[in-house]
Amino acid sequence: MGDRWHVEVDRGVCIGSGMCVNHAPDGFRLDSARQSHPRDPESDANERVLAAAEGCPVEAISIALAGGGEQVFPPEE
């Protein structure tokens, strides 16, 4: 069994570029105000969701291991 992730979008930072939806349409959606939301806040680890987080122009997406909270993205410095 693989890792489970907890995915969050900081809607105070999100600019609605839609890059997350382009990278991972099964992982994110935009609401009527063009704010991003994870389709499922807890899901299996997924390369497309990680690519969406990495490609977000304002780094509004964070990913942590579900249950443990260890940061996956952005990497801890």
Side-chain angles (χ1 to χ4, degrees):
M1 185 192 244
D3 289 336
R4 298 272 303 160
W5 285 351
H6 179 76
V7 181
E8 290 185 8
V9 176
D10 184 338
R11 285 181 283 286
V13 175
C14 178
I15 60 171
S17 72
M19 294 298 294
C20 56
V21 176
N22 288 337
H23 283 289
D26 292 338
F28 298 92
R29 65 177 178 80
L30 296 179
D31 64 18
S32 60
R34 293 201 49 86
Q35 293 290 290
S36 178
H37 298 265
R39 290 192 180 272
D40 185 357
E42 291 209 5
S43 60
D44 291 333
N46 180 311
E47 287 185 33
R48 288 181 161 203
V49 170
L50 180 58
E54 292 172 338
C56 178
V58 294
E59 294 186 356
I61 302 168
S62 62
I63 304 170
L65 291 178
E70 182 182 332
Q71 195 72 19
V72 174
F73 187 86
E76 294 184 45
E77 294 183 33

